[in-house]
């Protein structure tokens, strides 16, 4: 299984590289939207939609939300407002995970999916469209989240004892969170050197993003558990579905886009 996970991960990195480097800018933005909409197709099942028509309707609703956000957030101040509201919205989602993980409401799960996915695409698109270093910013925020996932996975397997959220995801541990922080910090240090930005603000933002990424992961895990699902899908051998790979991005990327704007790295 580990070998399969590695092969799939290499394939994902190759696809992302092709999207960011080879495709024209407009097509790359649409390709990023396509990846998010794959996640929406899978999230529809987490919200209790079973038929093809219902799941397709949910994907269309997500595309409409993405389009609306794009139209709203044309100016930097509007983009900042959209990302701020997005992160405020994660507070009740975190409360749901922490206080009432057994409470099942499919319509709320559907709303949560739109809240998680549409702003993630907007943030990725805004980062990518930066004139000087857009590709590097997208690669960085994705690598930060994925490094945290990998660090948490291996640290949890090797050292995990204290369960983080046993009702939501029994395999996640506090030791895994610490391992994710260490791995994320290594990527953050490399990013700080690459982008030549002040260390204190940049590293603090990255640590916050790694911690917040855990919430995105747990939210998806909660909905999978409520629906009796092990994975969000079967698109990626060894990993599950697309959503299983981008769940941590849904909470961390909007925060990073907001914070990078405060640091003057996003116009």
């Amino acid at each position: 299984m580990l070998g399969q996970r590695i092969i799939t991960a290499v394939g994902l990195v190759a696809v992302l590289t092709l999207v960011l480097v080879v495709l024209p800018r407009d097509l790359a933005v649409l390709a990023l939207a396509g990846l998010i909409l794959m996640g929406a197709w899978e999230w529809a099942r987490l919200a209790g939609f079973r038929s093809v028509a219902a799941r397709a309707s949910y994907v269309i609703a997500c595309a409409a939300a993405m389009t609306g956000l794009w139209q709203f957030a044309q100016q930097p101040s509007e983009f900042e407002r959209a990302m701020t509201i997005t992160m405020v919205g994660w507070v009740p989602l975190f409360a749901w995970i922490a206080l009432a993980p057994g409470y099942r409401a499919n319509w709320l799960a559907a709303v949560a999916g739109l809240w998680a996915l549409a702003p993630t695409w907007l943030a990725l698109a805004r980062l990518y469209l930066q004139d000087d270093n857009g590709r590097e910013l997208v690669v960085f925020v994705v690598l930060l989240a994925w490094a945290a996932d990998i660090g948490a996975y291996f640290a949890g397997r090797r050292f995990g004892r204290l369960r983080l959220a046993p009702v939501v995801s029994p395999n996640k541990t506090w030791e895994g969170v610490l391992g994710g922080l260490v791995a994320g910090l290594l990527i953050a240090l490399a990013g700080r050197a690459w982008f030549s930005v002040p260390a204190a603000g940049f590293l603090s933002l990255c640590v916050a993003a790694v911690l917040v990424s855990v919430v995105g992961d747990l939210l998806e895990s909660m909905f999978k558990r409520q629906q009796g699902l092990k994975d969000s899908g079967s698109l990626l051998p060894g990993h599950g579905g697309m959503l299983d790979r981008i769940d941590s991005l849904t909470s961390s990327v909007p925060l990073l886009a907001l914070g990078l704007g405060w640091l003057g790295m996003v116009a």
Side-chain angles (χ1 to χ4, degrees):
M1 180 64 72
L2 180 59
Q4 195 174 52
R5 289 174 68 94
I6 292 172
I7 292 171
T8 302
V10 171
L12 281 173
V13 171
V15 169
L16 181 62
T17 301
L18 288 173
V19 166
L20 297 179
V21 176
V22 176
L23 292 181
R25 289 175 58 144
D26 290 346
L27 288 181
V29 169
L30 290 176
L32 291 173
L35 295 177
I36 295 298
L37 291 176
M38 289 181 193
W41 173 261
E42 295 171 354
W43 198 297
R45 196 161 64 130
L46 304 188
F49 298 114
R50 300 299 181 188
S51 70
V52 171
R55 294 176 72 181
S57 297
Y58 187 77
V59 172
I60 293 171
C62 186
M66 292 160 63
T67 302
L69 274 177
W70 179 262
Q71 294 297 325
F72 169 78
Q74 292 294 306
Q75 300 301 318
S77 61
E78 294 164 344
F79 175 75
E80 181 178 341
R81 186 177 299 113
M83 294 298 100
T84 301
I85 294 172
T86 296
M87 295 315 302
V88 170
W90 275 97
V91 175
L93 293 177
F94 174 71
W96 189 357
I97 297 167
L99 302 177
Y103 176 70
R104 178 174 170 178
N106 285 343
W107 71 272
L108 280 177
V111 172
L114 298 179
W115 195 274
L117 293 170
T120 299
W121 171 75
L122 177 64
L124 287 172
R126 190 59 167 251
L127 292 175
Y128 174 74
L129 292 174
Q130 298 303 300
D131 290 333
D132 296 332
N133 53 7
R135 293 185 179 92
E136 290 86 350
L137 287 172
V138 172
V139 169
F140 172 75
V141 299
V142 171
L143 284 181
L144 183 67
W146 286 357
D149 282 347
I150 293 169
Y153 175 78
F154 284 105
R157 287 190 61 181
R158 178 63 179 85
F159 304 107
R161 296 292 185 274
L162 301 175
R163 291 184 176 181
L164 174 64
V167 175
V168 174
S169 185
N171 293 327
K172 290 182 174 60
T173 64
W174 285 103
E175 292 85 354
V177 172
L178 182 59
L181 274 174
V182 172
L185 187 58
L186 293 176
I187 296 297
L189 288 170
R192 187 262 164 188
W194 180 267
F195 296 116
S196 300
V197 290
F202 184 77
L203 295 180
S204 297
L205 172 64
C206 292
V207 168
V210 168
L211 292 174
V212 167
S213 74
V214 178
V215 181
D217 193 346
L218 289 175
L219 184 70
E220 190 221 2
S221 295
M222 181 180 73
F223 292 143
K224 285 192 298 187
R225 196 166 185 82
Q226 290 179 358
Q227 298 294 339
L229 300 172
K230 181 179 182 296
D231 297 315
S232 66
S234 56
L235 178 66
L236 305 174
H239 292 261
M242 179 62 68
L243 196 56
D244 292 316
R245 287 280 49 84
I246 66 172
D247 52 2
S248 57
L249 295 175
T250 59
S251 51
S252 63
V253 169
L255 177 62
L256 283 165
L258 182 63
L260 292 173
W262 291 341
L263 293 174
M265 298 175 63
V266 176

